[in-house]
Amino acid sequence: MKKALLITSIFFLTASFISKDTYVYICKGGNSKRYHLVKNCRGLKRCSHKIEKITLIKAKKVGRTLCKWED
């Protein structure tokens, strides 16, 4: 039980250190579901809408996941 609590505590402490200034790129198209670490990612080449720079935290809050090309 103590080990699980310790692991959970470490996870939340680590998550709190993620910089609020970590930016990612998303395609604003209606079917887009991913975020990209670099603006010239090949996963963004087919984006026919605006590419927006947003924080990683915001991208995750709206349900975006990491691009498969950048795994």
Side-chain angles (χ1 to χ4, degrees):
M1 185 68 171
K2 288 183 180 180
K3 188 174 182 179
L5 181 61
L6 177 64
I7 292 171
T8 304
S9 299
I10 290 172
F11 171 78
F12 284 111
L13 286 172
T14 304
S16 68
F17 287 110
I18 294 175
S19 173
K20 292 179 182 176
D21 296 332
T22 301
Y23 288 94
V24 296
Y25 300 90
I26 62 168
C27 177
K28 293 295 288 181
N31 295 325
S32 298
K33 298 178 178 112
R34 305 287 183 170
Y35 66 83
H36 308 267
L37 302 176
V38 292
K39 191 172 185 177
N40 63 348
C41 173
R42 73 189 269 192
L44 281 170
K45 292 200 186 286
R46 292 180 29 199
C47 178
S48 60
H49 294 79
K50 181 181 177 189
I51 296 173
E52 184 176 327
K53 182 178 178 181
I54 65 171
T55 64
L56 175 59
I57 293 169
K58 185 175 178 182
K60 288 184 175 186
K61 279 185 181 177
V62 297
R64 300 290 180 113
T65 56
L66 179 61
C67 171
K68 290 182 181 180
W69 294 109
E70 299 178 299
D71 278 344

